[in-house]
Amino acid sequence: MNEAGMLAPVSADATSREALAEREAGLHRSLTSWQIAMIGLGSSIGTGLFLGSAVSVKLAGPAVILSFAGAACIALTMMLALAEMAAAHPAAGSFGLYAEMYLHPWAGFAIRLTYWLCVTAAAGGEVVASSIYCHLWLPQVPAWLWIALFSALILYLNTVSVASFGKFENGFSTIKVLTIGVFLVLGSALLLGIGFPRIGFANYTANGGFLPHGWTGVGLGVVMGLFSFFGIEVAGGAAGEAANPKVAVPRALRRTLLVLVVAYVAGLAVVVGIVPWTNIGLGESPFVRVFQTAGIPAASHIMNFVVLTAALSSAMANLYFASRLIFSLARGGYAPAALGRLSKKGMPVVAVLTSGTLMVVTLALLSRFQDSLFLRMIGVSTFGALFAWGVTLLTHLAFRRFHKETQKPYVRIGPSGPWFSLFGLAAVLAVLISTWWVPGFRVTLQAGLPWLAFATVCYFVWVKRPAHQSASGESRNG
């Protein structure tokens, strides 16, 4: 540790890549493959699936099925790339650490800092959403009280132990998975007429046909669909706390993606089959419509409970990953050393509390500046997710090249050769560029590029500090 109380970064030229991963040692490896998958689902399936999927349907009509299938193919490239690297280097820093290893320390710094901001803000948004859902049952209770209670609960569960966190996240995510399962069964029964009057398949071609907005609508739907898969990468961040990471993490990522594909592709296929796509309103949940059609009593209250648990699950998972990212930055020497210390139970408590503080600050700023700041935050978050996916795929190309040149063995999970990752990288770049023409998403580049420039300045100012350049060390458990 240097005299300023900071860690100096370890260059991949100065030591092995294994040593870079080892500097994040100390986290307790207690998570099972299933728990890791549930953490990934906790981040990926928030309220968007249950409430926001109507936006995609409006863009593409029944062809939204193709849009989400295309988005799933892009997500598959990122998942395989991340799983391969996580199996080789199981660490909390995940894709940020891998970018530092195989690309450049700047890439590792920028991606971790950017994604830390994104997932922390997302956690705050889900806490606010949770308070809104509680208003349905207890309208007399002020929103700030719910926000305070849920924030305290989330912070507590993120500091007790990773085993306890895994169990709670597993419980919350299981509710979502079961709800999706029941939804698919009921929806299929309605379409086929099993126990209900048969709806049939006419809605897939009615009201303008299967492609009412042509292939342009399908393309715009892919952009929206890809956003729905953001969060799967959080499962990779749990590699540093997996009981058997080389087996558990790839298996967990496959399970996460499989559930997401079923949830979105099959789920939306059921929605547009039962409810004419022109009748799906942006202010309602397609899930509630289907449950009401099936005659489920108190459908709105059931779904309110589901979206409440979905929001809390997403907030927990996002805060979990945020704390691991800032912990990784600290262990690499890019943040105060205290953020890299662990409790006796192996939890980065200071990193959790710091991320929680940023979450509260974000909530305060959002309430103060409302629409203007919220729009910018959405832009930075969207840019951050696309940036993370793009850098992950670029890192994987360098990862493969390094192992080919050094003939160092590794567990190959994806197809051989660079083409799969190149396809994913090109698709992510295309989606990022296309946001300039997607209504409401131009702010992605307007806010994201200036933020990336700011993060770059922060990096070069930090690493040029004399104390940072002249000393090195490692953080200790606290």
Side-chain angles (χ1 to χ4, degrees):
M1 189 178 297
N2 63 27
E3 62 191 32
M6 310 302 299
L7 287 169
V10 183
S11 169
D13 296 330
T15 187
S16 68
R17 287 168 172 81
E18 287 75 11
L20 290 176
E22 279 299 316
R23 72 190 184 194
E24 297 186 4
L27 295 166
H28 289 187
R29 296 189 177 276
S30 307
L31 296 175
T32 66
S33 173
W34 182 256
Q35 288 174 332
I36 294 172
M38 287 302 185
I39 290 173
L41 291 173
S43 178
S44 303
I45 304 180
T47 57
L49 171 63
F50 302 107
L51 295 177
S53 51
V55 177
S56 302
V57 175
K58 288 295 184 183
L59 286 171
V64 70
I65 302 168
L66 299 180
S67 298
F68 274 75
C73 291
I74 301 173
L76 178 63
T77 66
M78 197 284 304
M79 183 275 289
L80 291 176
L82 182 57
E84 207 166 86
M85 294 187 290
H89 308 290
S94 190
F95 49 76
L97 180 64
Y98 310 147
E100 181 180 351
M101 288 179 174
Y102 293 98
L103 295 180
H104 190 275
W106 166 83
F109 172 84
I111 194 172
R112 277 175 285 188
L113 182 65
T114 302
Y115 213 80
W116 176 62
L117 176 67
C118 292
V119 292
T120 304
E126 295 288 5
V127 170
V128 173
S130 300
S131 69
I132 295 173
Y133 304 142
C134 290
H135 183 76
L136 175 67
W137 299 317
L138 297 170
Q140 69 277 13
V141 178
W144 66 264
L145 183 57
W146 290 119
I147 292 174
L149 289 174
F150 290 142
S151 297
L153 174 65
I154 291 167
L155 285 170
Y156 173 74
L157 293 176
N158 267 281
T159 55
V160 181
S161 71
V162 71
S164 298
F165 170 82
K167 291 176 182 178
F168 275 97
E169 186 61 45
N170 179 67
F172 280 138
S173 293
T174 298
I175 293 173
K176 291 185 286 189
V177 173
L178 290 176
T179 302
I180 293 168
V182 172
F183 170 80
L184 292 176
V185 171
L186 285 176
S188 299
L190 286 167
L191 288 172
L192 299 173
I194 302 175
F196 299 96
R198 186 176 183 273
I199 293 177
F201 305 100
N203 285 328
Y204 291 115
T205 54
N207 302 303
F210 185 70
L211 292 163
H213 299 306
W215 289 104
T216 300
V218 175
L220 293 177
V222 170
V223 176
M224 294 299 299
L226 195 61
F227 298 153
S228 300
F229 287 94
F230 290 156
I232 185 176
E233 60 277 4
V234 171
E241 292 162 280
N244 185 7
K246 292 185 181 298
V247 175
V249 175
R251 182 182 297 168
L253 283 164
R254 285 193 293 266
R255 287 174 174 172
T256 303
L257 182 60
L258 177 61
V259 173
L260 287 176
V261 170
V262 171
Y264 284 109
V265 179
L268 288 175
V270 168
V271 167
V272 296
I274 294 175
V275 183
W277 71 272
T278 52
N279 294 344
I280 297 177
L282 297 180
E284 64 180 353
S285 168
F287 278 66
V288 172
R289 284 289 299 271
V290 171
F291 283 143
Q292 289 174 337
T293 303
I296 302 298
S300 60
H301 287 280
I302 292 173
M303 284 307 303
N304 196 62
F305 171 75
V306 171
V307 295
L308 172 61
T309 57
L312 292 175
S313 171
S314 181
M316 283 178 56
N318 284 325
L319 186 60
Y320 166 85
F321 193 42
S323 64
R324 270 55 180 180
L325 289 173
I326 199 67
F327 164 82
S328 177
L329 281 173
R331 284 294 178 96
Y334 301 103
L339 294 170
R341 295 195 178 107
L342 298 171
S343 69
K344 293 180 180 180
K345 295 184 178 180
M347 296 293 282
V349 175
V350 179
V352 171
L353 295 177
T354 301
S355 300
T357 300
L358 178 62
M359 181 180 75
V360 173
V361 170
T362 302
L363 292 175
L365 290 173
L366 287 175
S367 63
R368 173 67 176 82
F369 296 99
Q370 296 181 345
D371 293 344
S372 60
L373 182 61
F374 180 75
L375 191 61
R376 290 287 167 181
M377 288 300 300
I378 290 295
V380 171
S381 296
T382 303
F383 178 86
L386 290 168
F387 179 58
W389 281 36
V391 172
T392 298
L393 290 162
L394 189 62
T395 302
H396 184 246
L397 292 171
F399 169 87
R400 283 276 185 92
R401 184 173 63 250
F402 169 81
H403 284 79
K404 181 179 180 180
E405 292 174 352
T406 60
Q407 296 185 338
K408 185 176 181 180
Y410 67 97
V411 179
R412 184 171 65 81
I413 298 173
S416 60
W419 303 111
F420 206 58
S421 289
L422 283 172
F423 162 74
L425 179 60
V428 169
L429 288 175
V431 169
L432 178 60
I433 294 171
S434 68
T435 58
W436 187 259
W437 292 278
V438 177
F441 281 89
R442 179 170 289 191
V443 70
T444 298
L445 293 173
Q446 290 176 331
L449 292 177
W451 163 258
L452 187 59
F454 172 74
T456 301
V457 171
C458 290
Y459 168 78
F460 284 108
V461 168
W462 183 264
V463 298
K464 288 183 181 297
R465 295 171 67 248
H468 189 73
Q469 292 180 323
S470 63
S472 64
E474 55 181 63
S475 64
R476 299 168 296 182
N477 290 356

